[in-house]
Structures are given as structure tokens and as C-alpha cells.
Amino acid sequence: MDRDQLSEVFDLVEVRGVLSGGFSARGPWVSRGALGTPLKFFAVVSGRARLRTDGIGSPVELAPGDVALLNHRSWLELEGGTGDGPRREILPEENAPSTDLLGVDVDTEDVVVGGRVDLNPTGRALLEHALPPVGHVRAAAAGSDGLRATVHRLFDEVRTRRIGAEFAIRQHVQLLVLEMVRAYAHQAELPPGWLRLLTDERLRPAIGLMHAEPGRPWGLEELARAAAMSRTSFAERFRTVAGVPPLAYLGRWRMLLAQQALRDGDVRVGALAAELGYTSESAFSTAFKREVGVSPLRYRQRVRTQGLGAVAQRAGA
């Protein structure tokens, strides 16, 4: 069975979707405010909405089931509804939307839910680079059935608040993030980077080898053979798709694995260096500091201190 490379990356960069708000409205409405989170998303459950934000020339028209993913935008304006009279202003709230959406009728009301995508620092560098300022994922596009279904399952849990709803909402938001990335990868012309690389069928066998045995001293000849390409064609295609040469990608993949091992376990740095194919602990530490900015031991200390701080914050909440 082929390894699921997208799932591997999602685990390593700790992708986490969080539902942070939602509202329903009848008649003309508008919601505007500042955005303080790097990656925000808004899903239209029912009705239609027009989205404006900084960095785009014209508004984005959102239909039922559509999702907009905003990447490092500073402000947002959503408007929708039909009928006469002034637009009702809805203040965006960073609260669980369950109270506002209890008993909502999707046949007569516009419904919008929103949230954020949390990532570790490596994940932010990867995903934020792979996404445009505003990603419009259309539910009506081919291959987006999963996105539309996930939006409605998520809303159903928010609206009905059945037993276990909080757990279900967290899982559905996670799936929504996955469906957004899947749909975007098939609907858009992706820039060079890891997301485009993971969707390239020609290069998939070579990527599979590097992911399966990251500590092996892979050469271009072996990787090109796995992709059934010449050495030159493979190297050129890889750089075009990934934005970096194959062995540079392998080095970055090793660093992702190293960060996960240092976060989650007590592995010795020397043992980790050998496992990932480095000839010495010092060579590994040099490569790690060049990629991450700090030494492996300093990184482990930092992430564990941050983890303890988060636990203390939750306990005091």
C-alpha cells in the first residue's frame, strides 16, 4: 500500500482547525473587522456572501458550501442577504457559535461559520507559502463533494448540540481543513512547493522512497529510476514542481522528522543524527540550526517550555 504523503506532512506540521465563530441572518447584512490570525477560513453553509479583503482587486462571490481561506490578510468584509432596507451589521465574535446557531433554518437564513488553522512554525512556513492571499474553494467544482458534505456535517453538529458535539465539531473542522487543501490543490494552479510536489503523480514514487527511508543516502540516479525518468529530466521536473532540488527537499524532510522526534520523545541527538543519515552529531546539529534557527537541544527545550505554558494557561482558564 502506498504511503499517504499528505497525511504524513499534516501530522508533522501539526495542522489543527479551530471553529471560532458563526452567525445567521435574514435580509441584508454585513460583517467586517480586523483579522489577527494568519490563516482564517469562512464557510457559507446557506445563502450567498461577497467577500472583500486587502490585497485583492475584486470581491469574491461565495455560494452555498464554498469556503474562503485567508492567508495573512489584515481585514475582512462579508456582506449578503436580499431585500430592502439598510444592512444589518453583524460584529464578528471569536466565540463558539453554538448559541447563535441553535435552531437556524437554512432554507430562509444566510449562515456563515468561521475559524482558524493553527500550525507549528514549520507548518506555517510550508502552508502559508503554498496558499494564495485568498483561496476560494468552490463546493460546486468537480471533486468537491467532500468539502460540501463536511461543511454541512459541521454545521449540523453546531446547530443540534447532540451529545459529544464538541468532540465531533473538532473532528469535522480538522476534516474541513483537509478538504480545503484537497480541493484547492485540484482547482488552482499551484505555485512551486510541497503541496504541488505531493500532487505530482510522476514524482510520487521518488517522494515515497525519500519518505520511507529518509536516512538512506539517496542519489539522483536511484530517485530518477523510481520515477521512470532520466536523471536530467527528473532533476529539472523536481526543481520546477518543488522549487528546490531533490536532495535539498530530502534535507528539509529530515529536518521535519527531527523536529517531530525532538518534540515528542527523549531520543538522543546522536542517535537521531544517525537515524536520519548524518555522519556525525555535529553535522546534524549544524544542518538543524541552519534550517530551524536554533540547536536541537535548544529547540527541544523551547517547545517543551511552550507546551508547559499552554497547559498552565488552560488550567487557569
Side-chain angles (χ1 to χ4, degrees), residues 118-196:
D118 290 340
L119 304 148
N120 63 29
T122 303
R124 286 196 294 272
L126 285 175
L127 192 57
E128 290 168 12
H129 175 73
L131 297 172
V134 179
H136 179 195
V137 187
R138 296 174 174 85
S144 295
D145 292 343
L147 177 72
R148 186 187 303 108
T150 301
V151 168
H152 284 281
R153 283 195 297 267
L154 169 62
F155 173 67
D156 186 59
E157 291 291 344
V158 172
R159 177 177 58 172
T160 60
R161 302 301 297 181
R162 293 174 292 175
I163 185 172
E166 291 185 7
F167 177 82
I169 288 169
R170 288 195 299 270
Q171 304 310 308
H172 286 315
V173 175
Q174 290 290 87
L175 288 174
L176 180 60
V177 173
L178 173 61
E179 293 292 351
M180 281 191 287
V181 173
R182 280 174 169 170
Y184 172 69
H186 287 94
Q187 292 179 24
E189 181 65 33
L190 296 173
W194 70 272
L195 187 54
R196 182 173 170 185

Side-chain angles (χ1 to χ4, degrees), residues 8 60 75 170 233 271 275 302 310:
E8 288 179 326
V60 177
W75 60 269
R170 288 195 299 270
S233 296
E275 180 182 339
R302 186 178 68 187

